[in-house]
Each structure stands twice: as structure tokens, then as C-alpha cells.
Amino acid sequence: MAAMKPRTGDGPLEVVEESRSIIMRVPLEGGGRLVVEISSDEAKELREALSGVIKG
């Protein structure tokens, strides 16, 4: 039986470019990480969407 390890979201938000896509790893409050693979065009759309709600 494998050892049970607590799942933590420790670590910073991480974004890396791999070949033709962008990989974004987001730590989650309840533990674990959300891993999203997006294209360059999708990243631009995400930036525009976030700029509409970020103050300052």
C-alpha cells in the first residue's frame, strides 16, 4: 500500500511554455493544483478578461 501523503497547494502560481502550448499550474485552497493547458491566443483572452476585473 502506498503511503498517504497530504495534498497541499504549496508553491507559487507557475506558468511555463512547452512547445506549442502554455501550462499554468494554480495551487488550490483545498489542496492540490489545477493544471491548465492553453494556447497563446487563449492566454491573450485570459489576460484581457483579467484586466477588466483587476484594480490598480
Side-chain angles (χ1 to χ4, degrees):
M1 178 187 292
M4 296 297 288
K5 296 180 182 178
R7 299 182 71 193
T8 63
D10 291 346
L13 171 76
E14 179 183 6
V15 180
V16 294
E17 188 173 7
E18 295 183 0
S19 62
R20 297 182 179 173
S21 61
I22 297 170
I23 308 297
M24 180 172 55
R25 294 176 181 90
V26 182
L28 300 175
E29 187 174 319
R33 298 185 87 162
L34 172 66
V35 180
V36 180
E37 180 177 359
I38 58 177
S39 69
S40 181
D41 290 336
E42 291 169 326
K44 290 175 188 174
E45 291 177 23
L46 177 60
R47 179 180 59 198
E48 290 172 13
L50 289 173
S51 69
V53 296
I54 296 174
K55 309 275 191 276

